[in-house]
Amino acid sequence: KLDRRALPAPADSDVRPVTFAAPRTSTEVKIAGLWQEILRLGRVGIDDNFFEIGGHSLLTSRFISAVRETLAEEIPMRLIFEKPTIRELATWLDIYNAVAVGVAGEPEGEELFL
């Protein structure tokens, strides 16, 4: 058995303030929905780290498949490790798609990299 009374109290630096930032763009909303389903969570914020809220390599594979099926996007698995938040992933996808549209010769609209 674990004697909880014998454990030291957590230091203030161990406690991270909980902040929730809701999805704002359609891409963020879609990714958040996939995370909620895959991670079985009620809500996820755009700054939540996939791995800190329960994600692991097997769930990363599920997420990649879900993105392929629901968003018709191909993203490399390493991207989840490099950009583990919804904000980062959505920004990458939006920029990637905007550049792809520009390369295809369709109207680009406003500058991508302001």
Side-chain angles (χ1 to χ4, degrees), residues 1-35:
K1 276 190 158 182
L2 178 65
D3 183 3
R4 295 184 187 271
R5 290 177 285 165
L7 294 173
D12 288 341
S13 63
D14 294 342
V15 179
R16 201 175 80 183
V18 177
T19 57
F20 175 77
R24 304 155 303 165
T25 68
S26 63
T27 305
E28 289 176 352
V29 169
K30 290 172 187 174
I31 293 172
L34 294 175
W35 281 22

Side-chain angles (χ1 to χ4, degrees), residues 19-98:
T19 57
F20 175 77
R24 304 155 303 165
T25 68
S26 63
T27 305
E28 289 176 352
V29 169
K30 290 172 187 174
I31 293 172
L34 294 175
W35 281 22
Q36 286 174 298
E37 183 180 325
I38 291 166
L39 298 171
R40 299 177 188 212
L41 297 172
R43 75 174 190 177
V44 293
I46 61 172
D47 294 315
D48 290 342
N49 183 301
F50 182 78
F51 301 102
E52 291 176 1
I53 61 172
H56 50 74
S57 59
L58 293 175
L59 292 178
T60 301
S61 295
R62 278 182 154 170
F63 175 67
I64 298 292
S65 295
V67 167
R68 185 180 307 120
E69 291 174 21
T70 60
L71 303 179
E73 298 281 356
E74 282 293 330
I75 60 174
M77 184 175 285
R78 69 172 167 68
L79 187 65
I80 311 307
F81 294 92
E82 294 172 358
K83 302 187 180 311
T85 67
I86 292 170
R87 182 189 306 264
E88 292 171 316
L89 285 171
T91 299
W92 185 90
L93 274 172
D94 290 342
I95 291 172
Y96 176 83
N97 287 327

